Amino acid sequence: MKKKLYCFDFDGTLTTSDTLLEFIKYAKGTGRFLMVFLMYSPLLVLMKLHLFPNWKAKQLIFAHLFAGMRIEKFDALCRDFAEEYQHLLRPKGVTLVHEALVAGAQVFIVSASIDNWVRPFFKVRGLDGVKVLGTQIEVIDGRLTGKFKSNNCYGEEKVHRICEALTTTTANAYGTPSLSFDRTQYEIEAFGDSRGDKEMLAYADKGHYKPFRI
């Protein structure tokens, strides 16, 4: 019998807005938010025209705002943000996440957002069985460098991260460890709402586009 796996995009799919933008406004204030986006508006225009990498624009803005911050302070901001902004979650989506966990399925949240603030959204609701595959940030000597430690979890990277999370270490007859992942063991159902989810939806056995909107 195949193992059931649910893969959910976060921003726009399980939420009603982009949490990166909401987090910046929460952590730095609306005034600083507007100032920084005005400063980087030429790059954002180029990004929209596909003339500048999405991940690079995102990293530049993130570094401008958070580089040098202690990780403890950043994580506290993330937890407080998730607790205060639960209203961003779409009820139908959260209900399905809960039902999937109760049924014994695996649930991945596969998001381009920083996993430090995505994960607390589910911990607040006691959904500890959820595994978050988000963009990871670099921390050196307890402080954020402003750089991403992982690739931006967008497009093909979402499929790569899903496969990586399901890969296990096994030993052959000689005891030599090897990595293995058998796609045929899984029945994957995916949920997304944007171009960044296209590859994940295509990879799944069942793909749902903008499924939780009224």
Side-chain angles (χ1 to χ4, degrees), residues 3 26 32-33 56 58 69 92 96 111 117 123 134-135 141 146 151 160 163-164 173 189 192 199 205:
K3 302 171 185 176
Y26 175 80
R32 183 84 184 278
F33 166 83
K56 201 166 186 178
K58 178 178 171 182
M69 181 178 287
K92 289 183 179 180
L96 182 56
S111 174
W117 71 68
K123 288 190 175 295
T135 300
D141 295 331
N151 291 332
H160 172 74
C163 295
E164 184 180 60
E189 196 161 351
E199 289 83 355
D205 297 290

Side-chain angles (χ1 to χ4, degrees), residues 171-182:
N172 60 22
Y174 301 99
T176 304
S178 62
L179 299 177
S180 65
F181 164 53
D182 185 355

Side-chain angles (χ1 to χ4, degrees), residues 98-160:
H98 173 73
E99 290 174 348
L101 290 172
V102 170
Q106 286 181 272
V107 176
F108 291 171
I109 307 300
V110 193
S111 174
S113 276
I114 309 300
D115 54 12
N116 297 60
W117 71 68
V118 176
R119 195 173 293 108
F121 269 90
F122 301 94
K123 288 190 175 295
V124 166
R125 292 180 177 243
L127 301 173
D128 295 325
V130 165
K131 185 177 183 64
V132 175
L133 308 176
T135 300
Q136 299 172 345
I137 54 175
E138 183 181 70
V139 178
I140 295 179
D141 295 331
R143 293 186 182 274
L144 279 63
T145 66
K147 296 179 181 179
F148 297 152
K149 185 172 70 173
S150 69
N151 291 332
N152 189 35
C153 194
Y154 178 94
E156 291 183 5
E157 180 66 15
K158 292 199 172 194
V159 176
H160 172 74

Side-chain angles (χ1 to χ4, degrees), residues 178-193:
S178 62
L179 299 177
S180 65
F181 164 53
D182 185 355
R183 171 67 177 84
T184 63
Q185 291 184 3
Y186 293 89
E187 180 186 347
I188 301 177
E189 196 161 351
F191 304 80
D193 80 308

Side-chain angles (χ1 to χ4, degrees), residues 14-173:
L14 289 179
T15 71
T16 56
S17 62
D18 188 313
T19 55
L20 170 62
L21 304 183
E22 296 293 341
F23 179 74
I24 291 173
K25 285 188 280 188
Y26 175 80
K28 299 295 182 176
T30 303
R32 183 84 184 278
F33 166 83
L34 293 173
M35 182 186 73
V36 168
F37 273 81
L38 181 62
M39 183 186 305
Y40 285 95
S41 58
L43 283 183
L44 296 174
V45 170
L46 291 175
M47 182 189 77
K48 288 294 184 181
L49 295 173
H50 305 290
L51 298 174
F52 193 81
N54 176 292
W55 71 268
K56 201 166 186 178
K58 178 178 171 182
Q59 183 175 259
L60 284 169
I61 292 171
F62 183 80
H64 183 95
L65 291 164
F66 298 104
M69 181 178 287
R70 293 206 63 83
I71 184 60
E72 295 87 357
K73 181 179 179 180
F74 183 74
D75 281 340
L77 278 171
C78 292
R79 290 192 298 269
D80 293 344
F81 171 67
E83 289 177 4
E84 294 182 33
Y85 279 70
Q86 286 288 303
H87 61 276
L88 295 180
L89 293 173
R90 297 184 188 273
K92 289 183 179 180
V94 176
T95 296
L96 182 56
V97 169
H98 173 73
E99 290 174 348
L101 290 172
V102 170
Q106 286 181 272
V107 176
F108 291 171
I109 307 300
V110 193
S111 174
S113 276
I114 309 300
D115 54 12
N116 297 60
W117 71 68
V118 176
R119 195 173 293 108
F121 269 90
F122 301 94
K123 288 190 175 295
V124 166
R125 292 180 177 243
L127 301 173
D128 295 325
V130 165
K131 185 177 183 64
V132 175
L133 308 176
T135 300
Q136 299 172 345
I137 54 175
E138 183 181 70
V139 178
I140 295 179
D141 295 331
R143 293 186 182 274
L144 279 63
T145 66
K147 296 179 181 179
F148 297 152
K149 185 172 70 173
S150 69
N151 291 332
N152 189 35
C153 194
Y154 178 94
E156 291 183 5
E157 180 66 15
K158 292 199 172 194
V159 176
H160 172 74
R161 294 288 295 278
I162 292 167
C163 295
E164 184 180 60
L166 295 174
T167 298
T168 56
T169 303
T170 57
N172 60 22

